[in-house]
Amino acid sequence: MRPVARAGVRDYVLLTKPRIIELLLVTTIPVMFAAARGWVPLRLLVCTVIGGTLAAASANVFNCVLDRDIDAAMRRTAHRGTASGVVGVSQAVSFATSLGLASVALLGVFVNWLSAALALAAIVAYVGGYTVLLKRRTASNIVWGGVAGCFPVLIGWAAVNGSISAAALALFLVVFFWTPPHYWPLSIKFADDYNAAGVPMLGAVASGPTVARAVVRYTWATVAVSLSYAPLAGAGAVYWVVASAAGVWFLWEAYRLRARAGEPAAAMRVFHASISYLTLVFIAVGVDAFVR
């Protein structure tokens, strides 16, 4: 174990889980274009993206602090600084707190206070709701804990309009229903890790067929809600075509997982397909605003 004093910038950056933040930005930016029905002022876009990034980073670092025992027991997360001891708890807490305060201040002063409040709510939901209350206690942890990952949609919409519309709530629900069929296949792949850490992820505690059936149900809900966005936002042909085609593909992979009784190889196909699906749908949200 390296001494805490040797912790470098990279160790702190990894605590923010950059790959997760990238996915959150995929939902935020197109939603801002949709809310504006076209171009967004550059200053507003930059401030919102930076503020949202800081909020997500703060939540992720707090998560790494609270889950350092879990991370240390899992091969794919044992390298994190808080799990290995490279980054001390007090340093990580100070880092997370600074990121969170910077996020709220930046959004409040340079965007609006509704987006700032939503960013704070996202941090509280992820840290308090998911990490503290749900993750170690129930196999439904990612269902309700995933709410925190839906907030970037609302933050982006609120940044532009200063309010939340029915169309924004529909996109919120897209991410909400998408989260389980995104994470449950991953928990099938890493079931041994989750069991070793004592985390009751559905893919680790339920049979493959049970998980596969749940993935199919939530995938249907995801696709249905994604299509409901079109009439609520007055979306055009671009969105209808992309959301429908991507939805058929996502469902195909979900049913393929069910046909294969939840085997790990098929599960990872669903995992990767889920990322592509969400990216395509939200890109369509943004592009459709320009076409219209």
Side-chain angles (χ1 to χ4, degrees):
M1 182 184 296
R2 292 188 294 164
V4 171
R6 292 185 58 187
V9 173
R10 182 175 182 275
D11 296 304
Y12 283 94
V13 170
L14 289 176
L15 293 180
T16 68
K17 305 181 185 179
R19 295 183 67 181
I20 294 177
I21 292 176
E22 289 175 8
L23 197 58
L24 297 180
L25 295 181
V26 165
T27 63
T28 304
I29 295 173
V31 163
M32 294 185 72
F33 290 134
R37 295 184 178 273
W39 289 110
V40 177
L42 182 60
R43 176 177 172 275
L44 179 62
L45 180 65
V46 171
C47 289
T48 304
V49 167
I50 294 176
T53 298
L54 291 173
S58 172
N60 287 336
V61 177
F62 276 123
N63 172 264
C64 287
V65 172
L66 294 167
D67 281 354
R68 60 191 183 277
D69 58 327
I70 291 174
D71 289 341
M74 299 175 64
R75 288 169 295 177
R76 71 185 185 90
T77 56
H79 66 281
R80 289 175 181 165
T82 46
S84 64
V86 173
V87 179
V89 171
S90 60
Q91 289 90 340
V93 170
S94 296
F95 181 44
T97 302
S98 299
L99 291 170
L101 292 174
S103 167
V104 173
L106 177 63
L107 290 171
V109 173
F110 294 103
V111 181
N112 56 51
W113 287 105
L114 176 57
S115 63
L118 290 168
L120 180 59
I123 296 172
V124 172
Y126 188 65
V127 178
Y130 174 64
T131 305
V132 175
L133 295 178
L134 298 171
K135 186 172 182 177
R136 302 172 190 246
R137 292 179 171 85
T138 171
S140 297
N141 48 21
I142 203 63
V143 177
W144 299 107
V147 167
C150 307
F151 274 90
V153 171
L154 301 184
I155 293 170
W157 197 282
V160 174
N161 292 329
S163 61
I164 301 300
S165 70
L169 291 175
L171 293 177
F172 177 96
L173 290 175
V174 169
V175 182
F176 174 77
F177 287 116
W178 166 88
T179 301
H182 171 64
Y183 279 103
W184 283 339
L186 191 66
S187 67
I188 292 176
K189 171 71 173 179
F190 294 102
D192 290 342
D193 268 0
Y194 283 114
N195 286 325
V199 179
M201 283 289 183
L202 188 68
V205 300
S207 66
T210 298
V211 179
R213 287 193 295 270
V215 166
V216 168
R217 289 196 299 271
Y218 275 88
T219 302
W220 268 111
T222 303
V223 174
V225 174
S226 75
L227 296 178
S228 76
Y229 165 79
L232 291 173
V238 170
Y239 181 80
W240 277 110
V241 171
V242 174
S244 299
V248 169
W249 175 45
F250 196 13
L251 284 166
W252 171 268
E253 293 295 347
Y255 275 101
R256 189 173 185 274
L257 176 65
R258 193 177 76 169
R260 301 207 172 185
E263 67 177 20
M268 290 309 292
R269 283 178 61 99
V270 175
F271 172 75
H272 292 298
S274 70
I275 297 173
S276 298
Y277 167 81
L278 194 72
T279 302
L280 288 170
V281 167
F282 275 87
I283 287 176
V285 167
V287 171
D288 187 78
F290 286 99
V291 173
R292 288 186 286 124

